[in-house]
Amino acid sequence: MMTAPGTECLGKRILVIGDVNTGKTTLCKRWLNGLCQQGLGARIALLDLAPTISPELARKRGIVGAGGELRAPEGSGVLDLRAHLEPPRLSSSSESEALDKAERNAQLIETLIGRLEPRRDILFINDVTLFLQARSAASLIESAGFDRRTTLVVNGYRGERLGGGALTRHETAEMSELEKAFAERGEVVRLTHRYDS
């Protein structure tokens, strides 16, 4: 029996990681659209944590295409949760400013997570890295109810292009913990080249 296009993620726990512009969001969008085309929108919650990056800032930092947002098809019934989040590393002039922005982002994200509905058993999280810059993988797994979801699709940054510092070290350590969790009870997809839809 053939799987409907884009629904190969159904019933799975998948973490998609990669550097800037490797197609993490594009791949997740294909899966999200596939599930919606199957009429599953009422079961889906989407946490879009992509930061707002102006075209000017993206050009200045040499990362055009970074921070892609994930949106469900219009009228699909998906619970769409998002907030205005800043890109701490890209928009800050000091490490302390970046850490302050990461903390503010995490507080906004915690509010979004609090609005997740238990009946939505399919969860997509776009750009989980923004939460991991100031919080832990364990707190995400607990607060977002990973164990209660039948399908879990999460993507996040794992690369070298956005620089270092304390924020990056914390984010990298927590992303490693999230990878371990998915490796044990799901799968990790590592993207290294541009993904074409």
Side-chain angles (χ1 to χ4, degrees), residues 140-175:
L140 175 71
I141 290 167
E142 175 66 27
S143 62
F146 279 21
D147 288 343
R148 297 190 306 269
R149 314 290 169 191
T150 62
T151 301
L152 196 54
V153 177
V154 179
N155 74 50
Y157 170 76
R158 187 76 144 135
E160 306 293 329
R161 291 186 60 191
L162 296 182
L167 185 149
T168 297
R169 286 192 296 275
H170 184 272
E171 171 194 297
T172 301
E174 293 306 323
M175 183 59 91

PDB file of all heavy atoms in Angstrom, residues 140-175:
ATOM      1  N   LEU A 140      11.527  21.266  27.568  1.00  0.00           N
ATOM      2  CA  LEU A 140      10.699  21.265  26.364  1.00  0.00           C
ATOM      3  C   LEU A 140       9.913  19.964  26.251  1.00  0.00           C
ATOM      4  O   LEU A 140       8.700  19.971  26.013  1.00  0.00           O
ATOM      5  CB  LEU A 140      11.567  21.454  25.120  1.00  0.00           C
ATOM      6  CG  LEU A 140      10.812  21.342  23.788  1.00  0.00           C
ATOM      7  CD1 LEU A 140       9.897  22.544  23.587  1.00  0.00           C
ATOM      8  CD2 LEU A 140      11.782  21.192  22.630  1.00  0.00           C
ATOM      9  N   ILE A 141      10.608  18.851  26.423  1.00  0.00           N
ATOM     10  CA  ILE A 141       9.974  17.531  26.316  1.00  0.00           C
ATOM     11  C   ILE A 141       8.822  17.408  27.302  1.00  0.00           C
ATOM     12  O   ILE A 141       7.743  16.911  26.960  1.00  0.00           O
ATOM     13  CB  ILE A 141      11.038  16.426  26.540  1.00  0.00           C
ATOM     14  CG1 ILE A 141      12.006  16.391  25.343  1.00  0.00           C
ATOM     15  CG2 ILE A 141      10.380  15.067  26.763  1.00  0.00           C
ATOM     16  CD1 ILE A 141      13.263  15.582  25.583  1.00  0.00           C
ATOM     17  N   GLU A 142       9.037  17.908  28.511  1.00  0.00           N
ATOM     18  CA  GLU A 142       8.006  17.840  29.550  1.00  0.00           C
ATOM     19  C   GLU A 142       6.864  18.814  29.272  1.00  0.00           C
ATOM     20  O   GLU A 142       5.689  18.421  29.247  1.00  0.00           O
ATOM     21  CB  GLU A 142       8.638  18.153  30.917  1.00  0.00           C
ATOM     22  CG  GLU A 142       7.643  18.238  32.060  1.00  0.00           C
ATOM     23  CD  GLU A 142       6.974  16.919  32.374  1.00  0.00           C
ATOM     24  OE1 GLU A 142       7.562  15.864  32.111  1.00  0.00           O
ATOM     25  OE2 GLU A 142       5.838  16.964  32.888  1.00  0.00           O
ATOM     26  N   SER A 143       7.175  20.092  29.066  1.00  0.00           N
ATOM     27  CA  SER A 143       6.125  21.112  28.960  1.00  0.00           C
ATOM     28  C   SER A 143       5.288  20.977  27.687  1.00  0.00           C
ATOM     29  O   SER A 143       4.087  21.273  27.700  1.00  0.00           O
ATOM     30  CB  SER A 143       6.732  22.517  29.045  1.00  0.00           C
ATOM     31  OG  SER A 143       7.622  22.750  27.977  1.00  0.00           O
ATOM     32  N   ALA A 144       5.891  20.518  26.597  1.00  0.00           N
ATOM     33  CA  ALA A 144       5.153  20.355  25.343  1.00  0.00           C
ATOM     34  C   ALA A 144       4.490  18.987  25.241  1.00  0.00           C
ATOM     35  O   ALA A 144       3.848  18.688  24.229  1.00  0.00           O
ATOM     36  CB  ALA A 144       6.072  20.599  24.152  1.00  0.00           C
ATOM     37  N   GLY A 145       4.649  18.164  26.265  1.00  0.00           N
ATOM     38  CA  GLY A 145       3.964  16.869  26.298  1.00  0.00           C
ATOM     39  C   GLY A 145       4.368  15.922  25.183  1.00  0.00           C
ATOM     40  O   GLY A 145       3.513  15.281  24.564  1.00  0.00           O
ATOM     41  N   PHE A 146       5.674  15.820  24.935  1.00  0.00           N
ATOM     42  CA  PHE A 146       6.135  14.939  23.863  1.00  0.00           C
ATOM     43  C   PHE A 146       5.574  13.524  24.004  1.00  0.00           C
ATOM     44  O   PHE A 146       5.221  12.892  23.017  1.00  0.00           O
ATOM     45  CB  PHE A 146       7.669  14.888  23.842  1.00  0.00           C
ATOM     46  CG  PHE A 146       8.324  16.048  23.136  1.00  0.00           C
ATOM     47  CD1 PHE A 146       7.662  17.252  22.949  1.00  0.00           C
ATOM     48  CD2 PHE A 146       9.625  15.930  22.669  1.00  0.00           C
ATOM     49  CE1 PHE A 146       8.276  18.323  22.310  1.00  0.00           C
ATOM     50  CE2 PHE A 146      10.253  16.991  22.018  1.00  0.00           C
ATOM     51  CZ  PHE A 146       9.577  18.184  21.835  1.00  0.00           C
ATOM     52  N   ASP A 147       5.499  13.010  25.219  1.00  0.00           N
ATOM     53  CA  ASP A 147       5.034  11.633  25.421  1.00  0.00           C
ATOM     54  C   ASP A 147       3.565  11.437  25.062  1.00  0.00           C
ATOM     55  O   ASP A 147       3.132  10.307  24.833  1.00  0.00           O
ATOM     56  CB  ASP A 147       5.272  11.200  26.874  1.00  0.00           C
ATOM     57  CG  ASP A 147       6.738  10.960  27.174  1.00  0.00           C
ATOM     58  OD1 ASP A 147       7.524  10.809  26.207  1.00  0.00           O
ATOM     59  OD2 ASP A 147       7.114  10.935  28.355  1.00  0.00           O
ATOM     60  N   ARG A 148       2.801  12.525  25.020  1.00  0.00           N
ATOM     61  CA  ARG A 148       1.378  12.424  24.694  1.00  0.00           C
ATOM     62  C   ARG A 148       1.107  12.544  23.197  1.00  0.00           C
ATOM     63  O   ARG A 148      -0.030  12.403  22.768  1.00  0.00           O
ATOM     64  CB  ARG A 148       0.584  13.519  25.423  1.00  0.00           C
ATOM     65  CG  ARG A 148       0.631  13.424  26.938  1.00  0.00           C
ATOM     66  CD  ARG A 148      -0.371  14.382  27.582  1.00  0.00           C
ATOM     67  NE  ARG A 148      -0.222  15.765  27.144  1.00  0.00           N
ATOM     68  CZ  ARG A 148       0.550  16.661  27.756  1.00  0.00           C
ATOM     69  NH1 ARG A 148       1.271  16.319  28.811  1.00  0.00           N
ATOM     70  NH2 ARG A 148       0.608  17.909  27.317  1.00  0.00           N
ATOM     71  N   ARG A 149       2.112  12.822  22.412  1.00  0.00           N
ATOM     72  CA  ARG A 149       1.916  13.029  20.968  1.00  0.00           C
ATOM     73  C   ARG A 149       2.140  11.730  20.191  1.00  0.00           C
ATOM     74  O   ARG A 149       3.095  11.015  20.440  1.00  0.00           O
ATOM     75  CB  ARG A 149       2.873  14.100  20.441  1.00  0.00           C
ATOM     76  CG  ARG A 149       2.966  15.360  21.283  1.00  0.00           C
ATOM     77  CD  ARG A 149       1.741  16.214  21.261  1.00  0.00           C
ATOM     78  NE  ARG A 149       1.828  17.259  22.289  1.00  0.00           N
ATOM     79  CZ  ARG A 149       0.837  18.035  22.658  1.00  0.00           C
ATOM     80  NH1 ARG A 149      -0.337  17.905  22.070  1.00  0.00           N
ATOM     81  NH2 ARG A 149       0.989  18.935  23.602  1.00  0.00           N
ATOM     82  N   THR A 150       1.269  11.480  19.228  1.00  0.00           N
ATOM     83  CA  THR A 150       1.453  10.297  18.389  1.00  0.00           C
ATOM     84  C   THR A 150       2.421  10.580  17.245  1.00  0.00           C
ATOM     85  O   THR A 150       3.061   9.673  16.727  1.00  0.00           O
ATOM     86  CB  THR A 150       0.113   9.820  17.791  1.00  0.00           C
ATOM     87  OG1 THR A 150      -0.418  10.869  16.956  1.00  0.00           O
ATOM     88  CG2 THR A 150      -0.877   9.467  18.881  1.00  0.00           C
ATOM     89  N   THR A 151       2.488  11.851  16.856  1.00  0.00           N
ATOM     90  CA  THR A 151       3.407  12.276  15.799  1.00  0.00           C
ATOM     91  C   THR A 151       4.099  13.548  16.255  1.00  0.00           C
ATOM     92  O   THR A 151       3.454  14.464  16.756  1.00  0.00           O
ATOM     93  CB  THR A 151       2.650  12.544  14.475  1.00  0.00           C
ATOM     94  OG1 THR A 151       1.979  11.346  14.072  1.00  0.00           O
ATOM     95  CG2 THR A 151       3.602  12.997  13.374  1.00  0.00           C
ATOM     96  N   LEU A 152       5.408  13.584  16.067  1.00  0.00           N
ATOM     97  CA  LEU A 152       6.211  14.706  16.526  1.00  0.00           C
ATOM     98  C   LEU A 152       7.237  15.029  15.446  1.00  0.00           C
ATOM     99  O   LEU A 152       8.042  14.173  15.075  1.00  0.00           O
ATOM    100  CB  LEU A 152       6.908  14.284  17.818  1.00  0.00           C
ATOM    101  CG  LEU A 152       7.523  15.315  18.743  1.00  0.00           C
ATOM    102  CD1 LEU A 152       6.524  16.384  19.128  1.00  0.00           C
ATOM    103  CD2 LEU A 152       8.051  14.613  19.985  1.00  0.00           C
ATOM    104  N   VAL A 153       7.174  16.250  14.918  1.00  0.00           N
ATOM    105  CA  VAL A 153       8.131  16.693  13.911  1.00  0.00           C
ATOM    106  C   VAL A 153       8.732  18.006  14.403  1.00  0.00           C
ATOM    107  O   VAL A 153       8.025  19.004  14.554  1.00  0.00           O
ATOM    108  CB  VAL A 153       7.469  16.889  12.528  1.00  0.00           C
ATOM    109  CG1 VAL A 153       8.489  17.421  11.521  1.00  0.00           C
ATOM    110  CG2 VAL A 153       6.859  15.587  12.027  1.00  0.00           C
ATOM    111  N   VAL A 154      10.024  17.993  14.666  1.00  0.00           N
ATOM    112  CA  VAL A 154      10.720  19.146  15.238  1.00  0.00           C
ATOM    113  C   VAL A 154      11.930  19.450  14.366  1.00  0.00           C
ATOM    114  O   VAL A 154      12.630  18.532  13.926  1.00  0.00           O
ATOM    115  CB  VAL A 154      11.181  18.835  16.684  1.00  0.00           C
ATOM    116  CG1 VAL A 154      11.929  20.017  17.285  1.00  0.00           C
ATOM    117  CG2 VAL A 154       9.996  18.435  17.559  1.00  0.00           C
ATOM    118  N   ASN A 155      12.190  20.731  14.102  1.00  0.00           N
ATOM    119  CA  ASN A 155      13.425  21.060  13.395  1.00  0.00           C
ATOM    120  C   ASN A 155      14.200  22.139  14.143  1.00  0.00           C
ATOM    121  O   ASN A 155      13.636  22.884  14.939  1.00  0.00           O
ATOM    122  CB  ASN A 155      13.160  21.444  11.922  1.00  0.00           C
ATOM    123  CG  ASN A 155      12.537  22.811  11.749  1.00  0.00           C
ATOM    124  OD1 ASN A 155      13.005  23.807  12.290  1.00  0.00           O
ATOM    125  ND2 ASN A 155      11.461  22.879  10.973  1.00  0.00           N
ATOM    126  N   GLY A 156      15.502  22.163  13.901  1.00  0.00           N
ATOM    127  CA  GLY A 156      16.341  23.141  14.563  1.00  0.00           C
ATOM    128  C   GLY A 156      17.702  23.283  13.915  1.00  0.00           C
ATOM    129  O   GLY A 156      18.151  22.406  13.171  1.00  0.00           O
ATOM    130  N   TYR A 157      18.340  24.378  14.238  1.00  0.00           N
ATOM    131  CA  TYR A 157      19.671  24.707  13.699  1.00  0.00           C
ATOM    132  C   TYR A 157      20.750  23.866  14.372  1.00  0.00           C
ATOM    133  O   TYR A 157      20.785  23.727  15.593  1.00  0.00           O
ATOM    134  CB  TYR A 157      19.945  26.192  13.924  1.00  0.00           C
ATOM    135  CG  TYR A 157      21.361  26.618  13.632  1.00  0.00           C
ATOM    136  CD1 TYR A 157      21.810  26.769  12.322  1.00  0.00           C
ATOM    137  CD2 TYR A 157      22.253  26.883  14.674  1.00  0.00           C
ATOM    138  CE1 TYR A 157      23.112  27.168  12.062  1.00  0.00           C
ATOM    139  CE2 TYR A 157      23.553  27.290  14.417  1.00  0.00           C
ATOM    140  CZ  TYR A 157      23.978  27.429  13.106  1.00  0.00           C
ATOM    141  OH  TYR A 157      25.266  27.820  12.859  1.00  0.00           O
ATOM    142  N   ARG A 158      21.621  23.327  13.545  1.00  0.00           N
ATOM    143  CA  ARG A 158      22.804  22.609  14.036  1.00  0.00           C
ATOM    144  C   ARG A 158      23.898  22.879  13.025  1.00  0.00           C
ATOM    145  O   ARG A 158      23.934  22.262  11.960  1.00  0.00           O
ATOM    146  CB  ARG A 158      22.501  21.113  14.130  1.00  0.00           C
ATOM    147  CG  ARG A 158      23.612  20.315  14.784  1.00  0.00           C
ATOM    148  CD  ARG A 158      23.579  20.523  16.276  1.00  0.00           C
ATOM    149  NE  ARG A 158      23.931  19.304  16.974  1.00  0.00           N
ATOM    150  CZ  ARG A 158      24.764  19.268  17.988  1.00  0.00           C
ATOM    151  NH1 ARG A 158      25.333  20.379  18.408  1.00  0.00           N
ATOM    152  NH2 ARG A 158      25.025  18.157  18.593  1.00  0.00           N
ATOM    153  N   GLY A 159      24.748  23.874  13.306  1.00  0.00           N
ATOM    154  CA  GLY A 159      25.756  24.227  12.320  1.00  0.00           C
ATOM    155  C   GLY A 159      26.816  25.153  12.863  1.00  0.00           C
ATOM    156  O   GLY A 159      26.965  25.310  14.076  1.00  0.00           O
ATOM    157  N   GLU A 160      27.521  25.802  11.950  1.00  0.00           N
ATOM    158  CA  GLU A 160      28.664  26.636  12.296  1.00  0.00           C
ATOM    159  C   GLU A 160      28.491  28.097  11.886  1.00  0.00           C
ATOM    160  O   GLU A 160      29.226  28.959  12.348  1.00  0.00           O
ATOM    161  CB  GLU A 160      29.921  26.096  11.574  1.00  0.00           C
ATOM    162  CG  GLU A 160      30.205  24.622  11.808  1.00  0.00           C
ATOM    163  CD  GLU A 160      30.596  24.319  13.230  1.00  0.00           C
ATOM    164  OE1 GLU A 160      31.214  25.194  13.870  1.00  0.00           O
ATOM    165  OE2 GLU A 160      30.264  23.221  13.714  1.00  0.00           O
ATOM    166  N   ARG A 161      27.510  28.382  11.049  1.00  0.00           N
ATOM    167  CA  ARG A 161      27.470  29.700  10.398  1.00  0.00           C
ATOM    168  C   ARG A 161      27.049  30.852  11.299  1.00  0.00           C
ATOM    169  O   ARG A 161      27.292  32.001  10.970  1.00  0.00           O
ATOM    170  CB  ARG A 161      26.536  29.641   9.178  1.00  0.00           C
ATOM    171  CG  ARG A 161      27.109  28.780   8.063  1.00  0.00           C
ATOM    172  CD  ARG A 161      26.279  28.832   6.827  1.00  0.00           C
ATOM    173  NE  ARG A 161      26.174  30.199   6.305  1.00  0.00           N
ATOM    174  CZ  ARG A 161      25.325  30.535   5.343  1.00  0.00           C
ATOM    175  NH1 ARG A 161      24.526  29.643   4.818  1.00  0.00           N
ATOM    176  NH2 ARG A 161      25.279  31.782   4.925  1.00  0.00           N
ATOM    177  N   LEU A 162      26.421  30.569  12.430  1.00  0.00           N
ATOM    178  CA  LEU A 162      25.895  31.663  13.253  1.00  0.00           C
ATOM    179  C   LEU A 162      26.802  32.074  14.404  1.00  0.00           C
ATOM    180  O   LEU A 162      26.413  32.881  15.246  1.00  0.00           O
ATOM    181  CB  LEU A 162      24.502  31.288  13.779  1.00  0.00           C
ATOM    182  CG  LEU A 162      23.436  31.098  12.699  1.00  0.00           C
ATOM    183  CD1 LEU A 162      22.095  30.777  13.325  1.00  0.00           C
ATOM    184  CD2 LEU A 162      23.321  32.330  11.804  1.00  0.00           C
ATOM    185  N   GLY A 163      28.004  31.533  14.471  1.00  0.00           N
ATOM    186  CA  GLY A 163      28.966  32.007  15.467  1.00  0.00           C
ATOM    187  C   GLY A 163      28.929  31.262  16.790  1.00  0.00           C
ATOM    188  O   GLY A 163      28.213  30.285  16.960  1.00  0.00           O
ATOM    189  N   GLY A 164      29.748  31.771  17.752  1.00  0.00           N
ATOM    190  CA  GLY A 164      29.924  31.096  19.032  1.00  0.00           C
ATOM    191  C   GLY A 164      29.412  31.908  20.205  1.00  0.00           C
ATOM    192  O   GLY A 164      28.464  32.659  20.081  1.00  0.00           O
ATOM    193  N   GLY A 165      30.070  31.727  21.357  1.00  0.00           N
ATOM    194  CA  GLY A 165      29.676  32.440  22.568  1.00  0.00           C
ATOM    195  C   GLY A 165      28.879  31.561  23.517  1.00  0.00           C
ATOM    196  O   GLY A 165      28.561  30.408  23.218  1.00  0.00           O
ATOM    197  N   ALA A 166      28.534  32.133  24.669  1.00  0.00           N
ATOM    198  CA  ALA A 166      27.830  31.393  25.723  1.00  0.00           C
ATOM    199  C   ALA A 166      26.470  30.903  25.256  1.00  0.00           C
ATOM    200  O   ALA A 166      26.065  29.766  25.549  1.00  0.00           O
ATOM    201  CB  ALA A 166      27.677  32.277  26.961  1.00  0.00           C
ATOM    202  N   LEU A 167      25.749  31.744  24.519  1.00  0.00           N
ATOM    203  CA  LEU A 167      24.437  31.357  24.024  1.00  0.00           C
ATOM    204  C   LEU A 167      24.545  30.136  23.114  1.00  0.00           C
ATOM    205  O   LEU A 167      23.781  29.185  23.240  1.00  0.00           O
ATOM    206  CB  LEU A 167      23.803  32.542  23.288  1.00  0.00           C
ATOM    207  CG  LEU A 167      22.369  32.389  22.789  1.00  0.00           C
ATOM    208  CD1 LEU A 167      21.664  33.736  22.813  1.00  0.00           C
ATOM    209  CD2 LEU A 167      22.353  31.836  21.381  1.00  0.00           C
ATOM    210  N   THR A 168      25.500  30.171  22.201  1.00  0.00           N
ATOM    211  CA  THR A 168      25.688  29.057  21.270  1.00  0.00           C
ATOM    212  C   THR A 168      26.103  27.790  22.003  1.00  0.00           C
ATOM    213  O   THR A 168      25.638  26.695  21.673  1.00  0.00           O
ATOM    214  CB  THR A 168      26.733  29.428  20.199  1.00  0.00           C
ATOM    215  OG1 THR A 168      26.229  30.539  19.444  1.00  0.00           O
ATOM    216  CG2 THR A 168      27.007  28.260  19.266  1.00  0.00           C
ATOM    217  N   ARG A 169      26.968  27.921  23.019  1.00  0.00           N
ATOM    218  CA  ARG A 169      27.388  26.732  23.773  1.00  0.00           C
ATOM    219  C   ARG A 169      26.205  26.078  24.482  1.00  0.00           C
ATOM    220  O   ARG A 169      26.060  24.856  24.462  1.00  0.00           O
ATOM    221  CB  ARG A 169      28.482  27.108  24.786  1.00  0.00           C
ATOM    222  CG  ARG A 169      29.840  27.368  24.142  1.00  0.00           C
ATOM    223  CD  ARG A 169      30.942  27.453  25.177  1.00  0.00           C
ATOM    224  NE  ARG A 169      30.781  28.581  26.083  1.00  0.00           N
ATOM    225  CZ  ARG A 169      31.198  29.821  25.824  1.00  0.00           C
ATOM    226  NH1 ARG A 169      31.808  30.079  24.680  1.00  0.00           N
ATOM    227  NH2 ARG A 169      31.024  30.795  26.714  1.00  0.00           N
ATOM    228  N   HIS A 170      25.347  26.903  25.083  1.00  0.00           N
ATOM    229  CA  HIS A 170      24.169  26.370  25.772  1.00  0.00           C
ATOM    230  C   HIS A 170      23.225  25.703  24.770  1.00  0.00           C
ATOM    231  O   HIS A 170      22.755  24.582  24.982  1.00  0.00           O
ATOM    232  CB  HIS A 170      23.437  27.488  26.520  1.00  0.00           C
ATOM    233  CG  HIS A 170      22.279  27.011  27.330  1.00  0.00           C
ATOM    234  ND1 HIS A 170      21.014  26.882  26.803  1.00  0.00           N
ATOM    235  CD2 HIS A 170      22.196  26.601  28.617  1.00  0.00           C
ATOM    236  CE1 HIS A 170      20.197  26.423  27.738  1.00  0.00           C
ATOM    237  NE2 HIS A 170      20.888  26.248  28.841  1.00  0.00           N
ATOM    238  N   GLU A 171      22.956  26.392  23.671  1.00  0.00           N
ATOM    239  CA  GLU A 171      22.074  25.876  22.627  1.00  0.00           C
ATOM    240  C   GLU A 171      22.600  24.549  22.080  1.00  0.00           C
ATOM    241  O   GLU A 171      21.839  23.592  21.915  1.00  0.00           O
ATOM    242  CB  GLU A 171      21.982  26.908  21.505  1.00  0.00           C
ATOM    243  CG  GLU A 171      21.279  26.441  20.248  1.00  0.00           C
ATOM    244  CD  GLU A 171      21.538  27.384  19.095  1.00  0.00           C
ATOM    245  OE1 GLU A 171      21.135  28.566  19.190  1.00  0.00           O
ATOM    246  OE2 GLU A 171      22.146  26.947  18.103  1.00  0.00           O
ATOM    247  N   THR A 172      23.894  24.479  21.811  1.00  0.00           N
ATOM    248  CA  THR A 172      24.491  23.267  21.245  1.00  0.00           C
ATOM    249  C   THR A 172      24.386  22.098  22.214  1.00  0.00           C
ATOM    250  O   THR A 172      24.054  20.975  21.817  1.00  0.00           O
ATOM    251  CB  THR A 172      25.965  23.526  20.876  1.00  0.00           C
ATOM    252  OG1 THR A 172      26.019  24.596  19.918  1.00  0.00           O
ATOM    253  CG2 THR A 172      26.616  22.292  20.287  1.00  0.00           C
ATOM    254  N   ALA A 173      24.639  22.360  23.497  1.00  0.00           N
ATOM    255  CA  ALA A 173      24.549  21.302  24.504  1.00  0.00           C
ATOM    256  C   ALA A 173      23.124  20.786  24.614  1.00  0.00           C
ATOM    257  O   ALA A 173      22.895  19.561  24.687  1.00  0.00           O
ATOM    258  CB  ALA A 173      25.031  21.827  25.859  1.00  0.00           C
ATOM    259  N   GLU A 174      22.149  21.683  24.609  1.00  0.00           N
ATOM    260  CA  GLU A 174      20.752  21.258  24.742  1.00  0.00           C
ATOM    261  C   GLU A 174      20.236  20.598  23.469  1.00  0.00           C
ATOM    262  O   GLU A 174      19.423  19.664  23.525  1.00  0.00           O
ATOM    263  CB  GLU A 174      19.866  22.438  25.148  1.00  0.00           C
ATOM    264  CG  GLU A 174      20.151  22.944  26.551  1.00  0.00           C
ATOM    265  CD  GLU A 174      20.071  21.843  27.616  1.00  0.00           C
ATOM    266  OE1 GLU A 174      19.209  20.949  27.507  1.00  0.00           O
ATOM    267  OE2 GLU A 174      20.884  21.891  28.560  1.00  0.00           O
ATOM    268  N   MET A 175      20.724  21.036  22.309  1.00  0.00           N
ATOM    269  CA  MET A 175      20.348  20.359  21.063  1.00  0.00           C
ATOM    270  C   MET A 175      20.899  18.939  21.054  1.00  0.00           C
ATOM    271  O   MET A 175      20.230  18.010  20.585  1.00  0.00           O
ATOM    272  CB  MET A 175      20.859  21.144  19.846  1.00  0.00           C
ATOM    273  CG  MET A 175      20.437  20.531  18.518  1.00  0.00           C
ATOM    274  SD  MET A 175      18.646  20.391  18.303  1.00  0.00           S
ATOM    275  CE  MET A 175      18.297  21.940  17.514  1.00  0.00           C
TER     276      MET A 175
END
